Amino acid sequence: MNPADIDRIADWVTRRGLEGAGEADLLREFCEECNAADLPIGRALVVIDTLHPVHEGTVFRWRNDDVEEAAATTYGRTTEGTSAENWRRSPFYHLLQTSGEELRRRIGFGEPADFPVIEEMKELGHTDYVAFVYRFASDATIGEMDCVYSGWSTRNAAGFGDAGIAALRRLAPALGLAMKSAALAKVADTLVEVYLGRDAGRRVIKGRIQRGVADRIDAVLWFSDLRGFTAITDTAAPDEIIPLLNDYAGAVITAIHEAGGDVLKLIGDGTLAIFRADDPALACANALKAEAAMRRNVQALNERRAMEARPTTTVYLGLHVGEVFYGNIGSVDRLDFTVVGPAVNETSRIASMCRSVDRPLLISSAFADALPAEKRRKLVSVGRFALRGVGRAQDLFTLDPELV
């Protein structure tokens, strides 16, 4: 591989990283470019950790033997079980433990295949293997993302050769930097989605971060909380509270997301969400679809928790539809992307009335009016109420239990 090709590929991968190419595409295109320039890569692997509530990181793979293999695979925690055992037997773990940066085994020329992955490469007819670990500075780490790992092998009869290894030493860091850039973009997407919600997160990532910038929108508003949560916290063991909140939040949020809603805020045991559609009737129907799914989720959850002799509860829900401001609210250095306005307060008051009338679901008259006629017929009035902090009394409805 001549120096001009090395420089060209280094420039190319830098530009692809700046363009925002994804990790799997970067690795595939990089290997194709190298092979075209007579650097005979047979298989390649890049590993980078991330900041995610479920996944610890992702493995990206490429091979040129026409065997089908997933280009990207996420993995969970490597601190226990089989995953931990496999990790400790890898060349990357060895490099971390020995503060090394490079490990090479010329397995086609008598050098030992002393790691399972290298033994696998030898059995597949590979002749040369090299692994690199490029560490980040301590103040440049994000969560578990503190380095980029890569492994390279070839079936070439002469191995990589000194020139090929020198080329990989020059090019692998450039590829690692491009893949780190792509991974950081995904971390940003994950963080805003997890902490702000899907739609609000997308808006923030696209630049909607100015204080006071808000859209006036019509939306279906969902406010729910747990029945008897204060009593549960007074009687349950302290280490039961967070698992309980997580279990019921999962039941609620999953139902909302599956029906097309967006969760904006978790307030203790409460959940604030919105449903939007060009047709208000569709948004209301989606909210009722989420309500039905939530009840099924909670029933299944309660059956499981009861078998485990753990506290159970149900969910109170208020549904309303109205105009709100949707955007950035707060101080210059601490913003919240949420909805505000009288309709939001009214939804909260409707939900709180569930306790007084002993109904798990209350629906405003505005929500009822927006429903199609066939769905409206499934509602029954529970009376007319003056809501605290709301200037006018209104009729509230619930689902007729005989028609559900």
Side-chain angles (χ1 to χ4, degrees):
M1 191 174 191
N2 64 59
D5 282 332
I6 295 174
D7 290 341
R8 176 183 58 80
I9 294 174
D11 290 343
W12 166 84
V13 75
T14 300
R15 288 181 177 274
R16 289 292 285 142
L18 289 171
E19 290 167 359
E23 300 97 314
D25 288 338
L26 282 166
L27 179 58
R28 173 180 53 80
E29 295 171 10
F30 177 85
C31 291
E32 291 170 352
E33 291 282 345
C34 287
N35 274 284
D38 295 325
L39 178 56
I41 299 171
R43 289 182 65 168
L45 174 147
V46 176
V47 182
I48 187 164
D49 288 340
T50 188
L51 182 60
H52 192 280
V54 177
H55 308 128
E56 185 174 308
T58 307
V59 180
F60 300 93
R61 296 181 176 87
W62 179 87
R63 58 197 298 169
N64 68 348
D65 56 6
D66 297 323
V67 175
E68 290 292 331
E69 186 174 43
T73 306
T74 58
Y75 55 88
R77 302 299 159 191
T78 57
T79 54
E80 58 186 11
T82 303
S83 295
E85 181 181 347
N86 292 338
W87 168 240
R88 287 192 291 267
R89 297 170 66 197
S90 72
F92 303 129
Y93 181 80
H94 171 77
L95 287 172
L96 290 180
Q97 295 301 110
T98 59
S99 300
E101 186 174 275
E102 177 183 323
L103 180 146
R104 184 186 182 190
R105 295 291 187 266
R106 301 178 73 240
I107 47 181
F109 307 93
E111 294 189 3
D114 47 355
F115 295 90
V117 66
I118 302 179
E119 178 65 30
E120 178 187 354
M121 294 301 101
K122 182 177 181 178
E123 292 174 355
L124 292 172
H126 291 245
T127 59
D128 211 344
Y129 175 92
V130 62
F132 300 110
V133 175
Y134 297 114
R135 296 167 176 80
F136 306 157
S138 59
D139 58 355
T141 64
I142 296 181
E144 301 289 337
M145 188 190 293
D146 57 1
C147 59
V148 177
Y149 313 91
S150 64
W152 313 86
S153 63
T154 182
R155 289 189 182 86
N156 187 49
F160 283 122
D162 293 341
I165 292 295
L168 282 173
R169 288 173 182 151
R170 167 77 170 83
L171 293 173
L175 175 65
L177 184 59
M179 295 187 76
K180 177 186 178 182
S181 176
L184 286 174
K186 288 185 178 178
V187 167
D189 286 341
T190 296
L191 289 179
V192 296
E193 180 175 326
V194 168
Y195 286 96
L196 298 180
R198 297 183 301 188
D199 183 68
R202 285 191 293 266
R203 289 169 181 254
V204 168
I205 284 293
K206 289 181 179 179
R208 296 297 299 270
I209 61 172
Q210 286 182 282
R211 181 188 182 195
V213 174
D215 296 322
R216 190 190 296 259
I217 65 170
D218 291 312
V220 169
L221 299 162
W222 165 302
F223 191 91
S224 62
D225 61 8
L226 300 183
R227 179 175 184 172
F229 179 68
T230 301
I232 292 173
T233 60
D234 288 341
T235 57
D239 58 359
E240 280 285 349
I241 304 305
I242 299 302
L244 180 141
L245 284 172
N246 287 340
D247 280 351
Y248 287 95
V252 173
I253 294 170
T254 299
I256 293 170
H257 282 170
E258 289 179 349
D262 284 293
V263 175
L264 299 182
K265 192 183 293 292
L266 302 177
I267 312 164
D269 63 318
T271 302
L272 173 64
I274 61 173
F275 293 80
R276 299 182 63 195
D278 293 335
D279 179 5
L282 177 59
C284 290
N286 287 341
L288 287 178
K289 180 180 177 182
E291 189 273 342
M294 177 193 70
R295 299 296 172 198
R296 293 192 297 271
N297 293 347
V298 168
Q299 180 178 356
L301 173 61
N302 282 345
E303 290 173 358
R304 175 175 65 80
R305 290 181 63 89
M307 291 179 62
E308 298 169 353
R310 302 172 72 188
T312 63
T313 184
T314 56
V315 178
Y316 286 135
L317 171 62
L319 292 174
H320 185 34
V321 59
E323 185 181 75
V324 293
F325 288 100
Y326 183 39
N328 290 295
I329 313 295
S331 69
V332 293
D333 56 1
R334 178 61 176 90
L335 296 172
D336 192 10
F337 203 106
T338 188
V339 288
V340 295
V344 180
N345 299 330
E346 198 166 342
T347 308
S348 175
R349 300 292 183 254
I350 292 169
S352 67
M353 283 296 299
C354 289
R355 299 170 179 80
S356 300
V357 298
D358 196 23
R359 292 289 187 275
L361 168 67
L362 287 179
I363 293 170
S364 72
S365 55
F367 186 102
D369 291 343
L371 282 172
E374 68 275 10
K375 293 187 180 295
R376 198 178 309 133
R377 283 193 290 269
K378 295 182 178 181
L379 302 183
V380 60
S381 174
V382 297
R384 188 172 180 83
F385 298 91
L387 303 175
R388 183 168 60 87
V390 178
R392 57 181 178 80
Q394 66 166 284
D395 292 317
L396 297 179
F397 300 83
T398 193
L399 290 171
D400 189 335
E402 296 182 359
L403 299 178
V404 175

